[in-house]
Amino acid sequence: MGSADGKRIVRYLPDDDWAVLARVCKEAGVRPEVVEQMIAAEGKVFGMGRRHGIHETLETLLAEALNDGSTRQDAESDQ
Amino acid sequence: MILQQIRLENFRSYFGTHTIDLATKASGPKNIVMIGGLNGAGKTSLHQAIVMGLVGEQAYFTFVRDLDRKGDARQTIDRELNSLLNREAAAAGEREARVTLFLSDNDGEQLAVQRTWAFDARGVYRGKEELVVARTGTASSSATDDEMTHKHFEDMLKSYVPPEVAKFFFFDGEDIQRIARDNPGTAVGDGVDLLLGFHILDGLASDMDFLHERYRKEAHKRSQQEIELDKLRVVEKELVTQRRQFEDEQQELEERVAALREESRRLVEELREAVGGSGRDPRLVQDELDQVNREIQRARDSIQAAVDQRIVSALPGDLVHRLARQLDAEDARSQWEEGKRRVEPRRDRLIQQIFGEDAPQPTPPLDAAQSAFLQRRVCVEWDNLFNPPPAGIATERRHAYLSDEERNQVRGRCAEVLRFGVLDLNRMIGELDTLQRRATDLRVTLDRIGDGERAAKLVAQKGRIDKELGEAESDWAAKKRQSAAVAVDLKDLRKQISNKEEELDRSGASADRADVARRVRRAVERYKEELRPRKRDELARHLGDMYRHLARKEDVVQRIELDERSFSPRLLDRRGNSISLDSQSAGEREIYALALLWALAQTSKRDLPVVIDTPLARLDSAHRSNIVKHYLPEAGRQVIVLSTDTEIDRHYHELIEDHIAKSFRLEFNPLTERTTVADGYFKF
């Protein structure tokens, strides 16, 4: 679902918003591509009576973020 | 995104199929599509078709119309849905209304979006909307290839047209008035939250909190699980010890059983040795010997009887045979003589009838000599009737001393002797010989056993050993069962331990995931924090710019500021004094609302067409001019304006003529209740 090489899988955000997200994600030690996917996933279920499967999707993305620990290490080394 | 074309089929006042080419160039000044129509001509239907086609009926009512599907709103929705199918089409048996939109995005991708609403025979909406999206690849109107699932359709369309921002791009004069009438500050706040996706970010933050808490709890359970795991491992050790003990005991019992079996086997051997290899109890041997001796005696008696009672068998066989034949011949003679004797009274009566005194006499009568002569002759001839005697009868009865019963006995014996023969006697003698040899063997066995005391002791000892062996085998089997039960318990326990270890592994991962969730949560919060002032400034700038364009010179509002947190607008006059929006005229408020919508659309950075239905309804001519001149050409890359001839009239039409790419005119025939689409705007 995600990309370990830092490539954006979805382009849900405008570019200037993406730049902000990328910066704060780097500071937080998470991959912005994964977070953008999470935002897109939330956007898809917004307003729906049933937010079916959103937690599963987010958990999958969290696991994916966890499996690629490079972002966190990079972030920690940057701090 | 450019709306290239719309096709309506039996949608509201559009009977049959109507296709409107709405394409404008992606860049350049001609970005407006003018669609004119008098009141009731079908403008609102066309507006609704575009929006419902893009976002679907549910999102249309929820996000664009702000109807919450309860109470009166529900009735409004039902009424509108039930009026989607053109009445004439329904009367003709049609059951579906359909809208097809052909879109192109900035990358040149072509999409065909088709929504169909089905109705029952009474024209009631079935509540099911069918959506088909196809990538057409080229700017053709074919929507056949690369079809996807409904979920993918919805997701894909949402990425193009997020329903929550649709109302900032697709609105009508009533929406403007409503925003102007209500608190525009609230509209800004809600709009910003929707446009910037803050609600989505809030949802993500909330879900991260939820997942973080879940993972944290799972991780928190770890220590407790470790304690439980330690307990399980203690039990495991106990079970392992117990199983080992059982196995040792089982081993001991197994060895004991083996030893007892060996002892028993040895005793058998010793006993066999003790009884001369027979391995038998001497008492039983003696009993058998006694039995054999009795059988020998019976055999001897039988032979003796045979010898004594059948002495005739000692005679030559021919003599026995001849004796039997003689007796048979004598019997035959006796029968023959008895036959003669039985008819002799008849002979005497015959002589008396011929020669008696009462018999008739010949003439002359016979004298005595003649009569005697004839009587002798009759007697001789009578005897001749029985002679010669039958063949095979005895000439004499040599054994007349035997009574008839004795004769039968002698004849039976002779028959026995003739049947018995020598072979039977030999068999009897052979059997006797076998018995005697067996008796000899038994006696030898008994002789070998000796006194039998040792054997008896061995037998008794073997009995004890066998009893011990049975008990040991029983204990051994019980111990094996116990050991197997412990093994099962141990297996179950180890499964529990394995599960617990997996839980621990997961909870270990949960701790890491909780950490990632926390980091995402933090990033989202930071993102919101950074985004909000940026968007506020951007929105304020757009709002101020557009408001200044649209306002009249005499309007007092000169500047608009937005609250840092709530985004509530603050209107300022020339001197920087705050002005209450409530104090403004309806027209000014509408201008403000329109500027707000434009600013929100600009701030959202969504490249969507802007579709406006009757935008100038309550504005005066000065505001109308400003809107036509400054708002419509700037509203978006593609602006579709639905207007009456009194809104965008000849004058206003001329103001934007250079920006108009295409014009259409909707005409409604009240007799047929049909809308038709004609090229060109109103003819002035």
Side-chain angles (χ1 to χ4, degrees):
Chain A
M1 187 181 285
S3 168
D5 58 6
K7 188 178 178 183
R8 291 172 72 182
I9 303 301
V10 297
R11 290 183 174 273
Y12 187 78
L13 302 173
D15 286 346
D16 49 354
D17 292 355
W18 159 256
V20 175
L21 180 70
R23 181 164 48 77
V24 298
C25 283
K26 190 173 183 182
E27 289 171 4
V30 290
R31 289 167 50 200
E33 304 84 18
V34 176
V35 177
E36 186 179 33
Q37 287 185 72
M38 290 179 177
I39 295 171
E42 290 280 356
K44 284 179 182 176
V45 298
F46 171 72
M48 293 184 176
R50 297 169 62 194
R51 302 172 73 242
H52 182 69
I54 183 64
H55 285 165
E56 287 78 1
T57 303
L58 295 176
E59 285 190 279
T60 303
L61 290 167
L62 280 174
E64 188 180 331
L66 187 61
N67 290 335
D68 177 36
S70 58
T71 305
R72 179 177 169 183
Q73 288 162 8
D74 292 346
E76 287 170 349
S77 63
D78 289 345
Q79 286 173 351
Chain B
M1 185 178 80
I2 298 294
L3 187 54
Q4 299 283 350
Q5 193 180 77
I6 182 169
R7 187 166 65 213
L8 303 97
E9 296 173 64
N10 299 322
F11 188 89
R12 298 194 65 168
S13 61
Y14 294 82
F15 174 72
T17 301
H18 298 266
T19 302
I20 307 174
D21 183 6
L22 302 169
T24 56
K25 291 184 178 176
S27 61
K30 292 186 178 297
N31 62 334
I32 296 176
V33 177
M34 283 300 305
I35 301 176
L38 301 177
N39 290 336
K43 298 190 299 299
T44 302
S45 297
L46 181 56
H47 185 270
Q48 187 178 19
I50 293 172
V51 184
M52 281 182 66
L54 286 172
V55 301
E57 60 102 344
Q58 288 206 10
Y60 169 75
F61 289 113
T62 302
F63 294 110
V64 180
R65 300 284 300 279
D66 283 332
L67 295 173
D68 58 5
R69 297 179 184 267
K70 293 176 185 171
D72 293 342
R74 175 77 259 175
Q75 290 181 359
T76 301
I77 292 171
D78 289 342
R79 189 171 58 247
E80 291 202 22
L81 285 171
N82 290 332
S83 66
L84 285 186
L85 179 62
N86 178 269
R87 278 186 292 186
E88 192 177 350
E94 294 291 337
R95 297 287 177 267
E96 291 180 344
R98 183 175 295 111
V99 169
T100 309
L101 298 167
F102 298 93
L103 316 170
S104 61
D105 64 11
N106 291 341
D107 299 328
E109 177 136 33
Q110 309 287 318
L111 278 184
V113 179
Q114 185 178 81
R115 291 189 193 267
T116 303
W117 300 274
F119 300 82
D120 64 17
R122 295 173 300 154
V124 176
Y125 178 51
R126 288 182 179 275
K128 186 179 178 184
E129 177 185 81
E130 182 185 314
L131 169 64
V132 177
V133 178
R135 285 191 176 89
T136 57
T138 59
S140 73
S141 58
S142 169
T144 54
D145 56 287
D146 197 16
E147 291 189 354
M148 300 172 290
T149 64
H150 187 90
K151 182 179 181 305
H152 287 143
F153 296 162
E154 292 287 6
D155 290 347
M156 185 176 177
L157 268 184
K158 280 183 181 180
S159 70
Y160 279 90
V161 189
E164 61 270 30
V165 302
K167 66 180 177 185
F168 303 119
F169 297 87
F170 314 117
F171 51 87
D172 59 20
E174 287 185 9
D175 294 327
I176 299 168
Q177 290 171 22
R178 182 167 48 80
I179 293 170
R181 186 175 59 248
D182 299 338
N183 183 1
T186 305
V188 173
D190 292 346
V192 168
D193 276 356
L194 287 169
L195 278 173
L196 303 188
F198 286 163
H199 56 294
I200 292 172
L201 298 178
D202 289 341
L204 178 55
S206 174
D207 284 336
M208 284 300 111
D209 283 343
F210 172 82
L211 292 174
H212 174 265
E213 185 63 12
R214 182 201 287 176
Y215 293 140
R216 192 189 61 77
K217 283 181 179 173
E218 286 179 7
H220 186 65
K221 286 180 182 173
R222 185 179 174 81
S223 59
Q224 188 178 350
Q225 286 174 331
E226 281 177 340
I227 292 171
E228 290 176 8
L229 185 60
D230 286 343
K231 286 180 181 174
L232 289 176
R233 282 179 173 149
V234 168
V235 177
E236 181 193 19
K237 281 183 183 174
E238 290 173 355
L239 281 177
V240 167
T241 303
Q242 193 175 12
R243 188 182 67 173
R244 193 170 295 138
Q245 182 184 339
F246 283 167
E247 285 174 349
D248 289 345
E249 291 173 1
Q250 187 182 331
Q251 179 68 26
E252 286 177 13
L253 282 166
E254 187 176 359
E255 289 171 0
R256 178 166 169 70
V257 165
L260 287 169
R261 282 177 180 166
E262 176 59 24
E263 178 68 7
S264 177
R265 189 194 61 74
R266 190 189 61 72
L267 284 170
V268 168
E269 288 296 321
E270 195 175 338
L271 189 58
R272 184 172 288 130
E273 179 65 28
V275 298
S278 69
R280 298 179 60 189
D281 188 334
R283 289 169 295 188
L284 297 177
V285 176
Q286 185 60 56
D287 289 345
E288 188 178 348
L289 179 58
D290 293 344
Q291 177 67 23
V292 170
N293 283 336
R294 282 193 290 274
E295 288 178 15
I296 288 172
Q297 190 55 47
R298 276 198 294 275
R300 283 177 176 159
D301 290 346
S302 296
I303 293 171
Q304 189 62 46
V307 172
D308 292 347
Q309 296 174 10
R310 300 166 192 159
I311 189 63
V312 289
S313 65
L315 298 174
D318 185 49
L319 287 179
V320 175
H321 189 67
R322 284 171 57 191
L323 173 60
R325 280 194 303 174
Q326 176 62 31
L327 289 174
D328 289 341
E330 286 182 7
D331 285 347
R333 182 165 191 89
S334 294
Q335 288 173 4
W336 176 67
E337 286 176 346
E338 177 62 22
K340 277 177 56 182
R341 235 183 350 265
R342 209 165 32 241
V343 298
E344 275 179 0
R346 294 184 181 180
R347 183 196 62 189
D348 294 342
R349 192 164 58 246
L350 177 65
I351 291 171
Q352 186 62 33
Q353 287 173 346
I354 297 172
F355 299 105
E357 291 178 357
D358 297 329
Q361 293 296 318
T363 305
L366 296 173
D367 58 22
Q370 288 176 317
S371 178
F373 172 77
L374 288 173
Q375 285 186 33
R376 282 194 304 273
R377 284 295 306 152
V378 168
C379 288
V380 169
E381 290 304 322
W382 180 271
D383 286 340
N384 284 342
L385 288 173
F386 297 97
N387 284 305
I393 68 170
T395 53
E396 58 180 346
R397 299 190 65 186
R398 297 174 190 160
H399 305 290
Y401 55 88
L402 294 172
S403 66
D404 289 343
E405 184 179 355
E406 287 170 339
R407 294 176 70 88
N408 286 334
Q409 286 178 350
V410 170
R411 197 162 26 245
R413 295 291 183 194
C414 288
E416 263 186 44
V417 168
L418 289 173
R419 284 196 309 272
F420 188 71
V422 177
L423 286 177
D424 288 323
L425 195 57
N426 286 342
R427 177 182 55 78
M428 292 170 73
I429 292 169
E431 287 175 355
L432 177 61
D433 185 53
T434 299
L435 288 168
Q436 285 174 335
R437 276 191 275 111
R438 189 171 163 199
T440 301
D441 290 342
L442 289 169
R443 274 194 292 275
V444 169
T445 298
L446 279 175
D447 289 344
R448 285 180 178 170
I449 290 173
D451 59 4
E453 192 66 27
R454 178 167 165 253
K457 284 181 180 175
L458 288 172
V459 168
Q461 187 178 357
K462 184 174 182 300
R464 285 194 302 277
I465 291 296
D466 286 346
K467 186 182 175 188
E468 282 183 43
L469 177 61
E471 290 171 355
E473 284 178 334
S474 176
D475 290 346
W476 183 31
K479 197 57 69 180
K480 278 201 287 190
R481 286 195 297 274
Q482 286 178 324
S483 187
V486 170
V488 170
D489 289 346
L490 194 57
K491 185 179 176 186
D492 290 344
L493 185 70
R494 283 177 170 159
K495 179 70 178 170
Q496 288 181 46
I497 289 172
S498 175
N499 291 340
K500 195 64 75 179
E501 286 172 342
E502 286 179 12
E503 283 181 32
L504 275 170
D505 289 344
R506 282 199 298 274
S507 63
S510 294
D512 292 338
R513 288 186 187 182
D515 181 58
V516 176
R518 185 178 55 78
R519 288 167 181 271
V520 171
R521 175 76 161 84
R522 193 170 67 191
V524 169
E525 284 301 320
R526 291 283 298 278
Y527 179 57
K528 269 180 65 179
E529 287 173 9
E530 296 218 7
L531 216 53
R532 186 169 279 275
R534 286 164 52 90
K535 294 298 176 184
R536 180 204 61 195
D537 294 344
E538 191 177 347
L539 180 62
R541 190 176 69 251
H542 286 311
L543 181 55
D545 289 348
M546 182 52 70
Y547 187 82
R548 278 192 297 277
H549 278 306
L550 302 183
R552 299 170 305 189
K553 287 183 180 177
E554 59 269 32
D555 290 342
V556 295
V557 176
Q558 292 298 305
R559 195 154 54 88
I560 300 172
E561 290 182 350
L562 297 177
D563 180 78
E564 190 170 343
R565 300 305 306 171
S566 68
F567 281 35
S568 294
R570 198 157 61 98
L571 310 180
L572 304 172
D573 64 14
R574 294 174 195 278
R575 289 190 291 271
N577 296 323
S578 181
I579 302 170
S580 169
L581 192 63
D582 294 338
S583 65
Q584 303 302 300
S585 68
E588 284 176 300
R589 290 164 63 124
E590 284 191 33
I591 287 295
Y592 172 79
L594 197 58
L596 182 61
L597 288 172
W598 182 83
L600 288 168
Q602 294 299 308
T603 308
S604 75
K605 292 186 172 56
R606 298 283 176 181
D607 180 28
L608 294 174
V610 175
V611 185
I612 316 169
D613 185 13
T614 58
L616 310 175
R618 297 179 57 180
L619 298 174
D620 59 26
S621 59
H623 283 131
R624 286 190 175 195
S625 293
N626 286 341
I627 287 175
V628 171
K629 279 193 297 186
H630 301 299
Y631 172 73
L632 293 182
E634 300 296 325
R637 267 204 312 150
Q638 183 185 35
V639 184
I640 298 170
V641 181
L642 298 133
S643 170
T644 64
D645 58 346
T646 58
E647 281 191 291
I648 307 294
D649 58 13
R650 182 175 185 174
H651 169 64
Y652 297 128
H653 191 267
E654 287 174 356
L655 287 178
I656 55 171
E657 203 163 24
D658 292 343
H659 297 284
I660 295 174
K662 290 178 179 171
S663 296
F664 299 97
R665 188 174 66 257
L666 307 179
E667 294 176 345
F668 183 73
N669 185 333
L671 295 176
T672 60
E673 294 187 342
R674 292 182 183 181
T675 293
T676 54
V677 183
D679 287 335
Y681 195 57
F682 293 109
K683 293 181 174 62
F684 300 112

